[in-house]
Amino acid sequence: MKTFDLLKLSLLILMAASLALGNAQLAELQLSSSFLYDAGNAKAYCTSGQYAYVVGTTMGIGTRLTVFDITNPNLWEALSSIHIDSQDPYWSQRYRIQIWENSLYILNRKGIRIFDLSNPVQPVNTGYLPINQTLRDATVKDGHLLVMYGSSITSYSIADDGGLSIADSLQQDGLGGISFGDTKAIYEIPGRVFMLADIQNPADLQV
């Protein structure tokens, strides 16, 4: 059984709680436990049912995906840790994890790694889509993985086996994506002008 670093887990608990409770109730939150996380610098996490998936990076070692049992939210139990990249990470780069049904996606500036979650405790790497552009944000919606890379917002249709194919894309020189909402994506174009893209239908993105 492993314990999380106090600061990192505090942030993860507050992030998860903010989604469930809303900002108005954050003042009532109290840290109930702390755990040591020894798989590097935690970069991103996602929860699904009784499991949490955390990506950590360590200089000289690379990147690992660790699976936790969070049945007891006060005591996360590490179940497995998977080495997914042996190259030294970019310390400042952004990571995102998204889950759709039995597929998990780990995104960073190098690309998208695809994992099969048929056994949620032992994710299996089934594919890789190289990108090599700055990652802004990612989300899943209605069977699609939506990502902001470089100067584009791209919607990938998710196949039954977790594979990805482009359904639609918005591209504009100088576009700098910021974040996704439920039905809109906010992004920036040259001149510090902020725009909204309609993602209500992820197969047909609209400005």
Side-chain angles (χ1 to χ4, degrees):
M1 191 173 295
K2 301 181 180 179
T3 59
F4 243 115
D5 171 277
L6 178 61
L7 176 59
K8 291 175 183 175
L9 186 65
S10 300
L11 292 174
L12 291 181
I13 291 176
L14 289 173
M15 289 167 64
S18 68
L19 295 176
L21 302 179
N23 291 334
Q25 294 178 288
L26 281 179
E28 301 176 10
L29 294 177
Q30 294 182 353
L31 180 65
S32 57
S33 61
S34 63
F35 302 87
L36 172 66
Y37 174 61
D38 61 2
N41 183 17
K43 290 290 190 177
Y45 87 108
C46 188
T47 60
S48 178
Q50 71 184 75
Y51 303 106
Y53 300 87
V54 181
V55 168
T57 59
T58 303
M59 185 63 72
I61 296 177
T63 306
R64 300 188 71 84
L65 172 65
T66 303
V67 183
F68 290 88
D69 184 335
I70 57 173
T71 304
N72 179 354
N74 297 324
L75 189 63
W76 290 22
E77 181 182 359
L79 303 176
S80 63
S81 187
I82 305 158
H83 189 78
I84 60 175
D85 190 346
S86 60
Q87 296 184 14
D88 283 343
Y90 295 88
W91 288 103
S92 61
Q93 75 171 298
R94 183 174 292 128
Y95 280 77
R96 290 289 185 271
I97 303 178
Q98 295 294 330
I99 294 175
W100 180 262
E101 296 183 346
N102 286 330
S103 297
L104 178 147
Y105 304 91
I106 297 177
L107 304 90
N108 65 6
R109 71 178 301 277
K110 292 188 291 185
I112 306 172
R113 292 189 180 276
I114 305 169
F115 291 82
D116 180 5
L117 288 184
S118 295
N119 179 353
V121 178
Q122 292 289 339
V124 177
N125 193 177
T126 58
Y128 178 66
L129 181 63
I131 303 291
N132 292 318
Q133 293 189 56
T134 300
L135 172 66
R136 314 287 187 179
D137 199 10
T139 191
V140 286
K141 181 179 177 63
D142 298 337
H144 291 75
L145 175 68
L146 290 90
V147 298
M148 293 182 180
Y149 267 115
S151 61
S152 68
I153 301 174
T154 302
S155 175
Y156 293 93
S157 177
I158 301 175
D160 291 341
D161 63 358
L164 300 174
S165 60
I166 295 178
D168 198 8
S169 181
L170 294 176
Q171 297 196 23
Q172 181 172 336
D173 292 342
L175 180 150
I178 298 177
S179 65
F180 287 109
D182 290 337
T183 61
K184 302 288 185 180
I186 184 170
Y187 62 96
E188 179 188 358
I189 61 176
R192 304 294 291 176
V193 177
F194 294 93
M195 305 287 288
L196 291 175
D198 188 338
I199 60 170
Q200 190 160 351
N201 179 2
D204 184 19
L205 304 177
Q206 301 288 330
V207 175

